[in-house]
Amino acid sequence: MTQSTHNLVDTMLNDFDIAAIRRDFPILNQQINGHPLVYLDNAASSQKPVQVIDAVDQYYRLDNANVHRGVHRLSQRATDAYEAARSKVRGFLNAESDKEIIFVRGATEAINLVAQSFVRPQLQAGDEILISYLEHHANIVPWQMVCEQTGAKLKVIPMTESGELNLSGFDELLTDKTKIMAVGQVSNALGTVNSVKQMTEKAKVKGIPVLIDGAQAVPHMQVDVQDLDCDFYVFSGHKMFAPTGIGTLYGKQALLEAMPPWQGGGDMILSVSFDHTEYNTLPYKFEAGTPHIAGAVGLGAAIDYMESVGIEKIAGYEHALLELATDKLSAMDGIRIVGTAKHKASVLSFLIEDVHPHDVGTIFDQEGVAIRAGHHCAQPVMQYYGIAATARASFAFYNTEQEIDALVKAIHTTQELFA
């Protein structure tokens, strides 16, 4: 780290009121195996501020009822809260209309919905779907499934040793057979920030629709779907301080209107007879059955919380943490950082020489440090590096400089045990 970078990191760390932030996350105030909890598994799932917990609690205590199908006061309040959350997501992503915001269980369900409702009806044998080497399994397997169903082919953008996408042959991968490009904005395994805007621009020149998996992006950076000009954008709430089981599919309105429903049932219909069913309008035709109302309320509260802290402020602080952690681990003997892209967000994957990542994770837990050890649902990335797994520390804006010191101490403890 250069001196100027070091000074910038110090400034970001000192200007952030971390004590106030941490008071909002009650789960952090506990001991694990006699040590203060150091939670560095945020790429898997983030913790929840009391503002989100209280919003969900209040919904269940005061407003619990089904939405859209009741004239009584509780149903009206529940509906208002649910639709207010949709509007908050629209603003958060800078979408044009609430009609473009579909509530789903998470990014995985959203990708499957697009794969089956938008892409599959267009596919013929020999058509192509383009993804990248850095994808989470959730952005690989659904496309493999539609390829098996239709005879289409999966094409993959290669990667480099640094963990970046190799775009030298990207233009040649965009052909008249490419029916969609689906890429992650940020790699969950390595933290690489992909140049999705430039990739989308090239795809659009050739008329290729684009889906962006933003599950690892929305907790860490400002996202503007109109600026990206993507056709679909997906994310999960639980990675951005909201409850589990809630997420969002953004889709351009014209595309969503032309797509058939993916699931049938209540609330996605206008009228039903044994002869014919008329489907509901957007966004409801993609939200069959009783939705995760409390989850949507919690997601809205999480957006309020992030915006109250300031998303740019969050991004700057987390980048400072990542720079600091990278600098400290790079200076240690016997440590290999996996994924050294120039542009990264909040993820540090590493190996300790002669120690399996699962052993690393177990020993760290004894020190109160929670990390993730495994393939991170990105086995092709591991296969590229010729490894089975990595240890992964991932940061959020409630983490501290002292917790990075605890991470370093846990590494030293592990190395001493295996010496």
Side-chain angles (χ1 to χ4, degrees):
M1 190 188 305
T2 64
Q3 187 60 46
S4 61
T5 302
H6 191 276
N7 292 340
L8 179 61
V9 167
D10 283 345
T11 299
M12 292 303 305
L13 293 175
N14 292 330
D15 287 350
F16 202 70
D17 191 353
I18 188 62
I21 294 293
R22 287 180 68 84
R23 284 195 294 270
D24 290 335
F25 291 84
I27 199 171
L28 300 178
N29 185 30
Q30 64 175 292
Q31 300 268 315
I32 301 293
N33 295 315
H35 299 274
L37 169 63
V38 176
Y39 187 80
L40 301 177
D41 194 22
N42 297 285
S45 199
S46 63
Q47 299 302 340
K48 320 306 172 194
V50 68
Q51 291 84 348
V52 169
I53 297 168
D54 286 349
V56 174
D57 179 75
Q58 178 175 303
Y59 165 75
Y60 279 124
R61 287 180 183 274
L62 301 177
D63 301 328
N64 182 47
N66 217 325
V67 293
H68 303 146
R69 298 191 283 275
V71 295
H72 61 81
R73 187 62 56 86
L74 292 186
S75 179
Q76 291 174 1
R77 291 208 304 248
T79 298
D80 288 346
Y82 182 72
E83 294 303 331
R86 194 189 308 276
S87 294
K88 290 175 184 178
V89 175
R90 175 195 52 74
F92 184 67
L93 296 179
N94 193 34
E96 285 191 2
S97 168
D98 286 5
K99 294 179 180 180
E100 297 179 320
I101 305 301
I102 312 297
F103 283 131
V104 290
R105 289 182 299 160
T108 298
E109 183 173 62
I111 294 168
N112 277 275
L113 191 162
V114 174
Q116 295 295 330
S117 180
F118 176 71
V119 179
R120 183 181 177 184
Q122 304 179 46
L123 290 178
Q124 298 179 353
D127 285 341
E128 296 173 356
I129 295 168
L130 181 61
I131 63 172
S132 89
Y133 222 108
L134 294 177
E135 302 310 315
H136 187 283
H137 294 167
N139 204 27
I140 299 174
V141 179
W143 305 115
Q144 290 176 327
M145 292 171 70
V146 293
C147 286
E148 291 171 358
Q149 292 161 350
T150 62
K153 298 178 181 178
L154 194 66
K155 296 291 184 178
V156 182
I157 304 164
M159 62 180 285
T160 68
E161 186 68 24
S162 65
E164 297 168 301
L165 292 182
N166 181 351
L167 298 178
S168 60
F170 178 64
D171 290 359
E172 287 70 37
L173 289 170
L174 300 171
T175 74
D176 56 3
K177 293 183 178 181
T178 310
K179 299 307 177 186
I180 194 167
M181 179 180 75
V183 292
Q185 191 167 5
V186 176
S187 163
N188 73 299
L190 307 178
T192 306
V193 179
N194 294 320
S195 53
V196 291
K197 183 177 180 181
Q198 292 74 19
M199 295 167 69
T200 299
E201 288 172 351
K202 289 192 173 187
K204 287 310 188 73
V205 168
K206 298 191 177 182
I208 298 168
V210 175
L211 177 146
I212 297 175
D213 176 1
Q216 296 292 337
V218 291
H220 307 297
M221 62 188 66
Q222 189 77 54
V223 172
D224 185 332
V225 293
Q226 293 191 65
D227 181 60
L228 290 172
D229 195 28
C230 56
D231 298 284
F232 303 98
Y233 192 97
V234 308
F235 71 86
S236 299
H238 72 96
K239 296 183 190 296
M240 54 169 288
F241 321 105
T244 55
I246 187 69
T248 296
L249 164 64
Y250 157 81
K252 288 185 175 179
Q253 184 172 338
L255 297 179
L256 292 174
E257 286 177 341
M259 290 161 54
W262 184 41
Q263 296 176 318
D267 213 31
M268 51 75 67
I269 53 85
L270 289 176
S271 65
V272 176
S273 71
F274 289 117
D275 297 321
H276 176 71
T277 292
E278 183 180 359
Y279 302 131
N280 209 340
T281 57
L282 291 176
Y284 311 112
K285 77 171 182 177
F286 292 109
E287 296 180 0
T290 298
H292 188 4
I293 306 164
V297 170
L299 177 58
I303 290 172
D304 287 342
Y305 184 79
M306 290 181 67
E307 291 179 339
S308 72
V309 176
I311 295 173
E312 292 301 322
K313 206 170 183 179
I314 288 170
Y317 178 76
E318 290 178 344
H319 182 70
L321 285 178
L322 180 62
E323 287 277 333
L324 182 64
T326 302
D327 193 47
K328 291 195 173 191
L329 267 65
S330 297
M332 299 179 72
D333 292 332
I335 299 297
R336 173 190 172 191
I337 294 176
V338 181
T340 56
K342 184 177 180 180
H343 300 292
K344 291 181 63 177
S346 293
V347 169
L348 190 56
S349 272
F350 62 94
L351 297 170
I352 300 179
E353 188 176 352
D354 297 328
V355 186
H356 193 284
H358 290 163
D359 293 327
V360 174
T362 301
I363 296 167
F364 277 30
D365 181 62
Q366 293 301 309
E367 300 294 309
V369 179
I371 62 165
R372 184 70 39 167
H375 54 64
H376 316 301
C377 291
Q379 286 181 299
V381 172
M382 302 297 124
Q383 292 160 7
Y384 175 86
Y385 287 112
I387 57 179
T390 69
R392 183 187 68 187
S394 50
F395 308 106
F397 61 92
Y398 44 65
N399 291 126
T400 68
E401 186 174 358
Q402 292 72 30
E403 290 182 321
I404 293 174
D405 291 337
L407 171 66
V408 171
K409 182 176 180 291
I411 292 174
H412 282 308
T413 298
T414 304
Q415 290 175 321
E416 289 168 3
L417 285 171
F418 280 82

